[in-house]
Amino acid sequence: MSEEKKDSTQAHPVTLAHSSASHMSKVEHLKHASEGLFYVQVPNSGRHTFASEIEALSAREAETIGEQAKEISKTFGIYKQRVRNESGKKVGEFIFMVRVKNPAGGELTAQQWLALDDACDRYGDGTLKLTARQGIQFHYVAGANLHAMIRHINGNFRTRGYQLTTLGACGDVNRNTVASPIDDLDAELPLDSHQLAHQVARELAPRTSAYYQVFLSDEAGHQVAPLHSEEPIYGPQYLPRKFKIGFAHPHDNSIDLLTNDIGIMPVVGDRDSFELYTGGGMGMTHNNPATMPLLAIHLGRIRREQVLDTVRAIVTMQRDHGERRNRRAARWKYTLRRLGVERVKLELRDAFGIALRDSEPAALPPVRDHLGWYPEAGDRNHHYAGILIPFGRVKDFESIRYRTALRQIVSSIEGIGVRITPNQHLILAHIPQSHREFVEKTLSDCAVPFGEAIAPLHKLAMACPAKPTCGLAMTHAEHALPRYLDALDRAGLGDVDVMIRMAGCPNGCSRPPTAEIGIAGYGKNDYVLTVGGARNGSRLGRVLYPRLGEEQLIQALTGIVRGIRDDNPHRLPAGEFLHRTGDAELKALAAIAN
């Protein structure tokens, strides 16, 4: 059955267009009753302001926020969490994760980066986490620090057009709009799609005043009612689930274009035309065949002047037709396939006036790592440097001081820009030729691997935070994948060029389904192993092992990666070798002991 005909929701979906509110989920009722995220509705207890729960945290009168307030807080970029033990039980202290929205990965000024660096010491655990969607996360934030931290992030720092905020970084809205970090830096094809990414981010940002009233007003400015709660695009109930938009570059698909709800890529030779993809998403639920990772479908081409209109139109369709009872069936990827691709194309053309042109899609570019030195577009006297940040954790370890190196470099070079890549790494942009030696020496002094010192195995490895903080995680990921890579290094396999991605659950935040080797948590010490994704993100991997314990997983990885190197006579890229090699042969390479 084709992807267009798969029906991943129930026979009678509950939508705004065709259903009454009484049939919708509790989360939908909470969003509606919040009047623009201002109030928290508690069953059998009436309602109170969300601000009152934040004030109780700041006064140390409460350990955390309530379950209903938790749903409101997500749209403000906040996740309620509790530290978990090895069995997965939430038994530790109450904490929060705070995520900064960062369209197109930046570009952050030196002042903005240093402010974020300061915040991780003042309010967090001394680290910054770079996300696979080019955002920044702070972990282990105490409730008493939450209000002050968000005020700090929203401070008046020197910008390059985008003020730091956490609003819309999570929740049932458009999440961080991603774009190739080299969009305008690529010397061979400099473009300006990042400007469109910023426009989309502004257009789809929540409009309610609640965020500003709760976190950014001074004492005299506190309100007992919302100043305005209207959401002209989202409406009073926002979207049925999160929504993700990305802009690829014709030379770089590091954003994984086809994993987005909307994916857009400029057409080479016609900078006013863009390829339009829609309906991608990586999340699924174990043992629920109605859920699955799906790649976006090519709809055709649109003109630059209609990019914003097209995005708004698809978001509107998802708002009106998305499932609102079963959240597992609520993503746009399921709505699209339930409505049918031809109907969606017809709606875009007839109802929204989009001049969508049928076309054959251009070939997708590979996922690039961006590590090392590259000349910038322009005068060629400046370069950008890609810095590997293992699994996105910016931290000073005992042997390697990432934070210190970055702080010294960013503080010392006038005009430097900081960009986050979809591979959880950093790009330092606009470095004069005269400062290259300083950058390399600073990195060396702090023992930060750079350029050719980085083994291929490590360049595209990616992992989500998972346990012990993420409430959805079934296993470790960020704390586990380094051990697995170390085992491969010890086996002499560090020079094998293969993309390995790991997530602690099947939601796929680090995008394992499109990896050449993907790992997803299944239980306390069980993992799903997938193989055969394409380096350009055009193919999902297949399940090779539905359940493996950690020792078996390490053994399988070692055998399979060795097979890519030693049993690959045509020297196929890792993803192609794994895709073309049968399961029986790959399992023979894995040689897992019973």
Side-chain angles (χ1 to χ4, degrees):
M1 182 181 296
S2 68
E3 282 191 343
E4 290 85 346
K5 294 183 179 179
K6 286 181 180 177
D7 184 354
S8 299
T9 186
Q10 61 264 28
H12 303 288
V14 174
T15 69
L16 289 182
H18 301 293
S19 307
S20 68
S22 62
H23 294 137
M24 297 181 186
S25 70
K26 292 179 180 178
V27 172
E28 293 298 318
H29 291 289
L30 280 172
K31 289 187 291 184
H32 189 273
S34 74
E35 294 187 25
L37 310 175
F38 191 83
Y39 293 109
V40 178
Q41 183 75 44
V42 181
N44 304 318
S45 299
R47 70 178 186 175
H48 55 269
T49 64
F50 180 78
S52 67
E53 298 212 26
I54 299 300
E55 289 164 1
L57 286 176
S58 299
R60 301 182 188 275
E61 296 171 353
E63 287 186 293
T64 189
I65 58 177
E67 286 301 297
Q68 290 77 27
K70 177 183 75 173
E71 297 301 328
I72 304 300
S73 73
K74 292 177 183 177
T75 309
F76 297 152
I78 300 165
Y79 269 95
K80 171 185 175 179
Q81 296 179 332
R82 192 173 187 183
V83 178
R84 303 166 65 191
N85 63 18
E86 282 302 310
S87 69
K89 291 183 179 180
K90 300 175 184 179
V91 296
E93 61 183 321
F94 288 99
I95 53 174
F96 292 90
M97 182 271 280
V98 176
R99 182 181 296 154
V100 179
K101 189 166 66 174
N102 186 39
E107 175 175 304
L108 301 175
T109 63
Q111 190 180 32
Q112 286 177 314
W113 176 260
L114 294 175
L116 295 171
D117 184 78
D118 288 339
C120 72
D121 276 335
R122 293 172 62 179
Y123 307 111
D125 66 346
T127 75
L128 299 92
K129 173 73 172 182
L130 311 180
T131 78
R133 290 196 67 78
Q134 300 177 285
I136 306 103
Q137 290 181 176
F138 295 89
H139 293 273
Y140 290 92
V141 178
N145 290 335
L146 196 56
H147 187 274
M149 181 180 208
I150 291 180
R151 287 181 67 88
H152 173 87
I153 290 170
N154 284 269
N156 292 317
F157 308 115
R158 184 177 301 169
T159 78
R160 289 200 170 95
Y162 191 81
Q163 185 73 27
L164 293 175
T165 184
T166 67
L167 178 62
C170 316
D172 294 341
V173 293
N174 176 49
R175 300 289 184 90
N176 196 47
T177 304
V178 298
S180 168
I182 63 161
D183 172 66
D184 59 328
L185 300 178
D186 186 69
E188 296 180 3
L189 187 64
L191 298 173
D192 59 357
S193 302
H194 64 293
Q195 294 182 6
L196 287 172
H198 281 269
Q199 290 176 20
V200 167
R202 287 191 294 269
E203 178 71 6
L204 296 181
R207 308 291 177 83
T208 174
S209 62
Y211 178 77
Y212 305 95
Q213 291 171 255
V214 172
F215 293 106
L216 305 182
S217 297
D218 57 25
E219 289 299 320
H222 282 172
Q223 303 289 325
V224 295
L227 292 177
H228 65 82
S229 59
E230 293 80 12
E231 293 285 4
I233 296 176
Y234 294 130
Q237 288 176 236
Y238 296 85
L239 296 179
R241 283 293 303 276
K242 59 188 174 184
F243 201 90
K244 298 180 178 181
I245 300 172
F247 290 80
H249 185 280
H251 294 171
D252 171 40
N253 189 26
S254 59
I255 70 157
D256 266 337
L257 186 74
L258 303 189
T259 66
N260 288 271
D261 292 280
I262 300 176
I264 299 171
M265 186 175 72
V267 176
V268 176
D270 184 358
R271 295 190 180 188
D272 287 329
S273 289
F274 290 80
E275 306 282 9
L276 175 64
Y277 291 85
T278 192
M282 296 292 94
M284 60 168 289
T285 302
H286 290 313
N287 300 318
N288 185 341
T291 67
M292 67 205 76
L294 291 169
L295 296 178
I297 297 168
H298 184 254
L299 295 190
R301 291 181 179 176
I302 54 175
R303 303 296 292 176
R304 182 186 182 92
E305 62 267 21
Q306 286 200 310
V307 166
L308 210 57
D309 292 336
T310 302
V311 167
R312 193 187 303 111
I314 294 174
V315 167
T316 299
M317 282 191 275
Q318 167 65 347
R319 180 197 68 197
D320 293 344
H321 299 289
E323 165 63 40
R324 291 184 182 263
R325 176 170 56 192
N326 178 7
R327 286 180 64 82
R328 291 178 176 174
R331 288 291 301 272
W332 168 247
K333 63 180 179 179
Y334 301 132
T335 308
L336 168 71
R337 289 161 174 85
R338 170 164 47 80
L339 295 176
V341 171
E342 292 307 315
R343 175 181 169 182
V344 168
K345 292 169 70 172
L346 184 65
E347 288 282 312
L348 287 173
R349 289 169 172 144
D350 292 356
F352 295 98
I354 304 301
L356 177 66
R357 292 171 290 153
D358 292 327
S359 66
E360 288 297 318
L364 292 176
V367 172
R368 290 174 56 183
D369 59 56
H370 309 299
L371 299 175
W373 287 113
Y374 294 88
E376 281 190 14
D379 59 17
R380 300 301 178 98
N381 292 321
H382 290 77
H383 292 72
Y384 65 90
I387 313 295
L388 181 139
I389 308 293
F391 317 110
R393 185 64 64 179
V394 184
K395 176 181 178 179
D396 274 357
F397 297 90
E398 184 176 347
S399 58
I400 306 177
R401 294 175 292 147
Y402 293 98
R403 273 189 65 196
T404 295
L406 291 168
R407 191 173 187 93
Q408 289 178 2
I409 294 170
V410 170
S411 301
S412 303
I413 300 178
E414 184 177 357
I416 196 169
V418 182
R419 304 185 182 195
I420 298 167
T421 82
N423 302 318
Q424 301 176 307
H425 304 323
L426 278 178
I427 284 177
L428 303 180
H430 320 315
I431 298 174
Q433 175 72 23
S434 59
H435 285 66
R436 283 184 55 161
E437 185 176 347
F438 164 73
V439 170
E440 291 180 355
K441 184 178 186 306
T442 303
L443 294 172
S444 177
D445 289 347
C446 294
V448 175
F450 181 69
E452 295 181 359
I454 301 169
L457 181 72
H458 295 259
K459 290 182 177 181
L460 292 174
M462 191 156 59
C464 68
K467 287 169 46 176
T469 55
C470 178
L472 299 176
M474 299 175 177
T475 63
H476 287 292
E478 182 185 339
H479 292 290
L481 190 53
R483 297 199 304 272
Y484 307 162
L485 297 185
D486 286 346
L488 294 171
D489 285 334
R490 290 193 299 271
L493 299 170
D495 288 336
V496 179
D497 183 12
V498 56
M499 178 198 295
I500 303 176
R501 294 173 176 168
M502 183 173 186
C505 77
N507 285 317
C509 293
S510 51
R511 305 192 293 276
T514 56
E516 291 169 324
I517 297 179
I519 307 166
Y522 193 101
K524 177 184 174 183
N525 188 34
D526 286 326
Y527 303 88
V528 179
L529 180 64
T530 60
V531 296
R535 182 62 66 94
N536 67 359
S538 64
R539 182 177 62 239
L540 295 172
R542 69 185 187 277
V543 175
L544 182 64
Y545 288 104
R547 298 284 290 272
L548 285 177
E550 182 167 287
E551 291 185 6
Q552 293 176 310
L553 177 62
I554 294 174
Q555 187 175 358
L557 289 173
T558 304
I560 290 169
V561 174
R562 183 179 289 115
I564 294 169
R565 186 191 65 185
D566 298 342
D567 297 276
N568 184 2
H570 300 292
R571 314 314 304 161
L572 295 171
E576 292 306 308
F577 170 77
L578 296 172
H579 176 63
R580 299 183 191 185
T581 305
D583 287 1
E585 188 174 346
L586 290 179
K587 288 181 178 180
L589 293 173
I592 295 176
N594 293 325

